[in-house]
Amino acid sequence: MPLFRRLAAPLALSLVPLGVLLTTSGPAQAADPLAIVCTTSATQHYSPGLTLVSRPTHITASATYSCTGGGSVDSAQLSFDYTVDAGCLPTSSPVTAGESILDWNEGPDSEITSTFVVTRPVGQTVGTSVGTVTAGQFNGYIFNLVGTYPALDLLACATSEGVTSSQGLLVLTLTQPF
């Protein structure tokens, strides 16, 4: 028989009562989500303030995210704290690596190891952190965080105090590796 005819033949379906499937399959378990997406707006703080000259700068932020796709996990808190050479002008792309804790509203925290890089396309500041959940809830998932901040005020950059904070939008995504 040609291959086409075998594929086109009607399929015979076995009708098994739903109750039999439920009682013989064991307890139902929720499948791990393919992706969890969390969003927020947050303020980054710079100490000392960002000026026209790049210098060692302590950058901190803390945010509460609203999340979808994670079942009962619908919010999370994440903070970061690092020191890099930074300034208002896009003279370099600061890169740092580290660990952080993602504190979920339900279930255990997630420990994350990631690399963080800052770029300045068209004057904006874009921070991208990519890594892996190394322990806790969603262990093994791929972690991706993108924060987008508007262009810095160059007049404030020209002062001795510099820019001490900026507010932006953050999107955090956890995905199952394939």
Side-chain angles (χ1 to χ4, degrees), residues 10-160:
L11 297 174
L13 296 177
S14 172
L15 298 177
V16 178
L18 182 58
V20 172
L21 287 176
L22 293 176
T23 57
T24 59
S25 65
Q29 293 184 359
D32 289 335
L34 293 177
I36 300 138
V37 177
C38 305
T39 58
T40 193
S41 63
T43 302
Q44 258 185 180
H45 301 278
Y46 312 106
S47 178
L50 300 176
T51 63
L52 297 174
V53 176
S54 186
R55 60 187 173 178
T57 304
H58 188 212
I59 302 173
T60 59
S62 181
T64 300
Y65 294 80
S66 295
C67 304
T68 60
S72 62
V73 171
D74 61 10
S75 68
Q77 290 186 341
L78 179 68
S79 300
F80 62 82
D81 182 332
Y82 59 93
T83 301
V84 295
D85 281 342
C88 291
L89 300 178
T91 56
S92 65
S93 295
V95 177
T96 189
E99 297 179 350
S100 55
I101 301 291
L102 194 53
D103 182 14
W104 299 104
N105 68 303
E106 290 284 330
D109 295 346
S110 295
E111 295 178 28
I112 298 160
T113 299
S114 63
T115 300
F116 191 82
V117 65
V118 176
T119 58
R120 296 258 171 78
V122 195
Q124 294 182 68
T125 299
V126 178
T128 305
S129 184
V130 178
T132 305
V133 177
T134 55
Q137 191 164 201
F138 308 116
N139 188 24
Y141 276 57
I142 297 166
F143 171 84
N144 188 17
L145 172 64
V146 177
T148 306
Y149 297 85
L152 297 171
D153 178 357
L154 290 180
L155 291 178
C157 291
T159 67
S160 60

